[in-house]
Amino acid sequence: MLQPVILDTDVASRLHKGTLTEPLGARLIGRRPLITFVTYGELTKWTEVRDWGGRRRQELADWLVGIPVLLGDEAVAVTWGRLAAAGHKAGRPQPNNDMWIAAACLTHDLPLATLNLKDYRYFQEKHGLRVLGEE
């Protein structure tokens, strides 16, 4: 059985375009990629903002069919609320979308594949977020 990993939006985008390079690309071999509802939304936003044509939108839609999407359920919302409160109390509020992705990872006890390591460093240090390749 393949071990699941949640893809950050940057990794999902590069994987879709075939531009994900080493060493992270190698670390995804033998893993089952998942995305969160946030990444699905961000990818959709990019198609709109960049005025993608029908062919490119269909290519993305076809690729996304094979990638399970983790929804923002009650458990993820509770984790997000705790992360938001902890960041607020510590004087270190975090970007909402990164916090939702981290909440999904922590709720489901899954690692995150990201190239934006600094964006998730706080969640690693303070909340035990596992980042693929740094586990």
Side-chain angles (χ1 to χ4, degrees):
M1 183 171 149
L2 298 177
Q3 293 184 353
V5 61
I6 295 178
L7 307 179
D8 193 11
T9 307
D10 63 327
V11 173
S13 175
R14 289 181 186 212
L15 196 59
H16 164 64
K17 293 187 286 189
T19 61
L20 186 62
T21 59
E22 304 294 337
L24 186 56
R27 291 184 184 124
L28 292 178
I29 295 171
R31 297 280 190 152
R32 188 176 116 227
L34 311 168
I35 61 171
T36 67
F37 68 99
V38 174
T39 291
Y40 198 96
E42 287 179 336
L43 291 172
T44 301
K45 175 186 171 186
W46 292 354
T47 68
E48 296 293 326
V49 169
R50 295 174 179 152
D51 294 320
W52 281 16
R55 182 186 57 79
R56 288 187 72 199
R57 288 174 193 253
Q58 189 59 54
E59 287 173 356
L60 178 62
D62 292 345
W63 183 78
L64 285 169
V65 166
I67 309 291
V69 178
L70 293 176
L71 303 178
D73 62 13
E74 290 175 11
V76 172
V78 167
T79 302
W80 183 91
R82 290 180 178 147
L83 293 175
H88 178 79
K89 286 180 178 180
R92 293 182 66 183
Q94 301 297 307
N96 280 325
N97 283 355
D98 294 345
M99 203 160 26
W100 278 113
I101 292 170
C105 291
L106 292 166
T107 299
H108 295 284
D109 191 27
L110 294 173
L112 176 67
T114 185
L115 296 169
N116 297 323
L117 298 175
K118 65 177 177 47
D119 294 349
Y120 292 94
R121 187 72 60 205
Y122 170 80
F123 302 112
Q124 282 183 278
E125 293 172 357
K126 301 297 182 186
H127 302 284
L129 177 68
R130 294 181 293 133
V131 174
L132 191 64
E134 295 191 354
E135 302 181 276

